[in-house]
Amino acid sequence: MCGIVGYLGSSQAAPVLLSSLRCLEYRGYDSAGVAIIENGELAVLKAAGKLSNLESLLNTKQPQATVGIGHTRWATHGVPNDQNAHPHTDCTGTLAIVHNGIIENYQSLRQELSDNGHTFESDTDTEVVSHLIEDEFRGSGDMLTAIRGAVRRLEGAYALGVVSQIFPEKIYAVNHHYSLAVGLGENESYLASDSVAVRQYTNKILRLEQSEIAEISTEGVKLYAFDGTTVNRSPVEVDSNPYVIDKEGHKHFLHKEIHEQPLIMRQTLGKYLHHPEKPVDFSAANGSGHHCGDSSYGVHLSKEDLKKVRRIFIVACGTAYHAGLVGKYVLEELCGIPVEVEIASEMRGRNLLVNGETLTVAVSQSGETADTLAAITEAKSKGSMTLGITNRPDSHLAQITPNLIVTECGIEVSVAATKTFVAQCACFYLLALHIAEELGTIPAARILEIKAQLLAIPALQEQILAREDVVRLKSLRHAEAHDVVFIGRGMNYPIALEGALKLKELSYIHASGYAAGELKHGPIAVLDRNVPVITVLVPGAVYEKTLSNAQEARARNAQMIAVAIDGDEQATKIFDTILRIPPVDEFLSPLLTVIPLQLLSYFIADYLGKDVDQPRNLAKSVTVE
Ligand code: M6R
């Protein structure tokens, strides 16, 4: 979604802003812009569409400036065009702002400001902020006071970057329940809503916490709370290696990330499970050097805490929600604790039934998903124990959960989640094993067996990836479909949902996932010879029943596709196309069955010429509700 960057120093600002914005491209956007102070005057350059449009504009204008802010916008209020792109100015044209988040009361503010003579040039909620600051500045003549006055009027969660030609050597930054950080270099500072954007320049980061304003100047950074009191906080050092955003020879990031899954599994498992004979270790001391603020992460729930847990409540969105569903099966099986999984946005306006005997688990790749953050915050306020599973130890989620499991995926650039899904699932296996070990809910021999099988998964994943050419050929037979149905049971029901989500978001082909037993309760009505039905079929408790459900589809002449294990002869008789995986215990099978479905979606989307890494309308990090 939207991204904020800024630069203040002695170098040319435009190339730095552009390079920082490039690092945020993966989050999804539909326009971009910068505001710089050139020869004491504010200049705003913006363009709808890809960053290359803004780049061309900057190449033509060649602005000379050492101070500026920039933005990538993902449209919420107003279509993605030049006018609605950020930065937005005030009526005097001397002040510009960039904004992430939503100003919830913008309509009443806009009406009030218009009645008082302000002229609006865009349809955005953002523009009210520049006009509010303008009014407040007219009264006080002091920018900090003006910003504090303006934020008092705003409702919602947001981050802002502000420049003014009246203070040409300053950038102001505001964070209110969002994410914003200042990177500190040698006599220069960088602003970013995602520290990924500044890691190419510095690893010294000063994060803005909730309801804080930063005044950035050549002398350094001063932090203030919204009430005007000074805040003293030291910067932290993050990983010194900048994130490498490189396709490394792959045609797309998505393809690279699908292929990284065995490595990711090894990294995530290697971090928390050193040997089958040893207990799963989530202690902070076992971390690999990441830091969230100045606190290390880990799971700090004692055996006594775990004994108190009567219910586990998982909240997440999208693919992370599907990982949560896998987590439900795993936790219930190994720990004997009832688990509920909720789509985080469905927790709004509802009485959240959690208490001190509930463990609420938030799953989020980015750690910035607004709905997930809201749900875990509310659970925490009701006394629930909380735990986060994220790929970003520097995220907002990491700040608000005392217990944190970090997936070791590196940055996931493609908007469609693949490697982080598999890593999130792996974390649920590890968490369930940890709880089972602490509480003794299953025999030690079974724990040992599962750990050994888990450690063998990466090699099996490699076998699937090694046959991707076959998957490609088989997948393209169905590239012209308009509707695709995915079915699975038990552990593989979430994989049917995830398979459908991947195909939809990458290829724009309509796809739905169902519990296989539900097919005959309605979805079967859509089946005919034009509809591919993809069945996830693994030997185990629900194998025969899944096969029967597939037969129901075959009887309606559907195109029959399966993900099935090598040597499954029954499958050969029923399905026209089989995407093979090596034999695997049903309990661990989601870690394998999802991979052919990721590949199928990838190959179809690429064949159809879709924007594989940045599908239309989607954002990597969904920071609005
Ligand atoms: O960052 P999060 O894991 O919280 O994001 C949740 C969803 O927005 C995300 O999984 C989304 O569904 C992906 N585009 C799926 O590929």
Side-chain angles (χ1 to χ4, degrees):
M1 282 204 155
C2 300
I4 291 176
V5 300
Y7 174 74
L8 185 149
S10 51
S11 302
Q12 283 299 323
V16 177
L17 295 174
L18 199 61
S19 172
S20 303
L21 288 174
R22 284 238 177 277
C23 297
L24 301 185
E25 270 196 294
Y26 79 99
R27 295 166 65 97
Y29 69 103
D30 37 48
S31 59
V34 298
I36 39 131
I37 311 288
E38 190 176 23
N39 300 323
E41 291 210 353
L42 180 77
V44 173
L45 298 155
K46 47 195 195 176
K50 293 286 179 195
L51 214 45
S52 50
N53 298 345
L54 177 66
E55 189 175 15
S56 307
L57 201 58
L58 289 169
N59 286 342
T60 313
K61 303 266 180 191
Q62 292 284 327
Q64 303 296 303
T66 57
V67 177
I69 52 177
H71 193 259
T72 41
R73 172 177 188 252
W74 185 83
T76 56
H77 299 66
V79 297
N81 60 16
D82 287 1
Q83 254 161 333
N84 289 331
H86 298 206
H88 291 287
T89 53
D90 63 350
C91 295
T92 69
T94 59
L95 172 112
I97 71 154
V98 288
H99 161 225
N100 286 1
I102 287 180
I103 308 301
E104 288 171 359
N105 58 336
Y106 85 99
Q107 273 173 321
S108 58
L109 289 172
R110 187 174 170 125
Q111 188 59 55
E112 178 192 317
L113 288 157
S114 301
D115 291 347
N116 291 341
H118 287 271
T119 312
F120 283 80
E121 310 220 318
S122 75
D123 303 319
T124 64
D125 55 334
T126 303
E127 206 184 335
V128 297
V129 185
S130 45
H131 293 283
L132 273 181
I133 299 177
E134 176 190 352
D135 268 1
E136 295 282 341
F137 185 74
R138 200 177 299 122
S140 69
D142 176 71
M143 189 53 79
L144 261 177
T145 311
I147 292 173
R148 281 177 42 223
V151 296
R152 265 198 293 274
R153 307 280 324 271
L154 303 178
E155 288 169 18
Y158 52 84
L160 304 168
V162 184
V163 286
S164 161
Q165 71 181 46
I166 301 170
F167 302 97
E169 297 197 337
K170 285 191 175 158
I171 296 177
Y172 295 89
V174 181
N175 185 38
H176 187 57
H177 299 290
Y178 237 73
S179 190
L180 204 54
V182 182
L184 302 168
E186 291 291 323
N187 303 319
E188 52 193 354
S189 300
Y190 306 84
L191 179 66
S193 51
D194 183 332
S195 60
V196 163
V198 299
R199 293 221 191 159
Q200 56 189 312
Y201 302 111
T202 177
N203 69 336
K204 251 170 107 184
I205 304 277
L206 184 62
R207 269 176 233 297
L208 274 74
E209 290 193 355
Q210 299 324 312
S211 311
E212 286 183 352
I213 303 172
E215 185 181 41
I216 307 164
S217 70
T218 41
E219 282 134 46
V221 182
K222 287 184 190 157
L223 279 183
Y224 302 92
F226 274 12
D227 65 8
T229 51
T230 306
V231 175
N232 292 310
R233 188 177 319 113
S234 304
V236 293
E237 291 202 0
V238 293
D239 269 353
S240 50
N241 292 334
Y243 281 123
V244 179
I245 298 187
D246 183 358
K247 292 191 192 124
E248 289 171 8
H250 293 263
K251 185 172 177 190
H252 297 102
F253 283 109
L254 183 71
H255 189 252
K256 174 179 168 235
E257 287 160 3
I258 291 172
H259 276 261
E260 278 173 347
Q261 292 179 111
L263 173 72
I264 297 310
M265 276 291 291
R266 286 194 178 100
Q267 281 173 191
T268 300
L269 293 175
K271 189 165 162 206
Y272 303 115
L273 173 62
H274 304 299
H275 190 277
E277 309 266 346
K278 294 219 169 118
V280 173
D281 181 7
F282 284 124
S283 66
N286 185 34
S288 65
H290 291 285
H291 293 279
C292 156
D294 47 6
S295 63
S296 304
Y297 58 83
V299 175
H300 310 290
L301 296 165
S302 66
K303 189 171 185 160
E304 291 314 306
D305 291 330
L306 292 173
K307 273 188 190 162
K308 273 193 267 168
V309 177
R310 295 278 159 271
R311 200 160 67 93
I312 296 175
F313 187 59
I314 300 173
V315 287
C317 303
T319 289
Y321 167 75
H322 299 153
L325 288 175
V326 173
K328 172 183 165 77
Y329 287 92
V330 176
L331 285 160
E332 288 189 343
E333 177 78 17
L334 299 190
C335 312
I337 302 172
V339 182
E340 277 170 62
V341 194
E342 283 280 0
I343 293 173
S345 57
E346 281 300 302
M347 298 321 304
R348 287 300 199 187
R350 209 173 120 181
N351 187 14
L352 198 54
L353 296 177
V354 298
N355 56 32
E357 295 184 337
T358 315
L359 171 63
T360 305
V361 181
V363 192
S364 173
Q365 179 281 129
S366 62
E368 300 293 349
T369 300
D371 290 315
T372 307
L373 292 176
I376 191 94
T377 304
E378 195 182 341
K380 199 174 162 187
S381 75
K382 293 197 161 177
S384 172
M385 293 172 251
T386 57
L387 185 149
I389 298 178
T390 184
N391 194 36
R392 297 296 301 271
D394 54 348
S395 64
H396 195 162
L397 177 63
Q399 285 175 22
I400 60 177
T401 46
N403 300 291
L404 194 72
I405 305 177
V406 177
T407 54
E408 290 292 304
C409 296
I411 192 162
E412 188 174 63
V413 176
S414 176
V415 167
T418 52
K419 61 179 180 176
T420 53
F421 171 76
V422 161
Q424 287 162 354
C425 291
C427 287
F428 274 115
Y429 285 98
L430 292 167
L431 178 64
L433 286 165
H434 170 65
I435 298 175
E437 280 175 329
E438 288 288 304
L439 303 184
T441 44
I442 54 164
R446 176 70 179 137
I447 292 184
L448 202 64
E449 183 186 31
I450 295 170
K451 283 181 178 170
Q453 288 172 340
L454 203 48
L455 290 168
I457 288 288
L460 301 180
Q461 292 175 329
E462 275 162 355
Q463 289 181 34
I464 301 171
L465 293 166
R467 309 175 194 168
E468 73 165 356
D469 288 346
V470 180
V471 179
R472 182 173 185 280
L473 285 176
K474 292 181 175 176
S475 300
L476 295 190
R477 292 179 198 158
H478 304 280
E480 309 299 337
H482 292 292
D483 292 289
V484 180
V485 169
F486 290 72
I487 57 172
R489 273 181 183 251
M491 308 284 305
N492 282 300
Y493 162 49
I495 300 305
L497 297 179
E498 177 59 9
L501 178 64
K502 281 289 91 76
L503 185 63
K504 245 184 309 224
E505 64 183 340
L506 291 170
S507 70
Y508 318 153
I509 295 173
H510 177 256
S512 298
Y514 299 100
E518 276 292 290
L519 196 61
K520 56 188 166 298
H521 295 287
I524 202 164
V526 305
L527 301 191
D528 62 25
R529 66 181 65 256
N530 298 315
V531 179
V533 173
I534 304 185
T535 306
V536 188
L537 185 72
V538 176
V542 294
Y543 176 84
E544 297 295 344
K545 292 204 185 306
T546 312
L547 212 51
S548 304
N549 299 137
Q551 293 278 20
E552 293 157 9
R554 187 177 160 85
R556 271 81 192 172
N557 293 321
Q559 298 169 24
M560 298 297 290
I561 307 164
V563 173
I565 65 159
D566 291 330
D568 181 341
E569 290 307 322
Q570 290 210 67
T572 317
K573 292 178 200 145
I574 294 178
F575 296 97
D576 313 318
T577 301
I578 302 182
L579 308 176
R580 295 284 183 182
I581 59 168
V584 61
D585 189 311
E586 183 188 32
F587 186 63
L588 292 155
S589 62
L591 299 167
L592 298 192
T593 49
V594 74
I595 295 178
L597 300 182
Q598 294 167 342
L599 288 170
L600 170 127
S601 301
Y602 169 70
F603 287 129
I604 290 181
D606 185 34
Y607 172 79
L608 295 175
K610 304 299 182 202
D611 190 348
V612 169
D613 285 327
Q614 289 175 10
R616 68 181 181 199
N617 304 336
L618 295 182
K620 182 71 183 160
S621 190
V622 184
T623 50
V624 294
E625 291 168 36

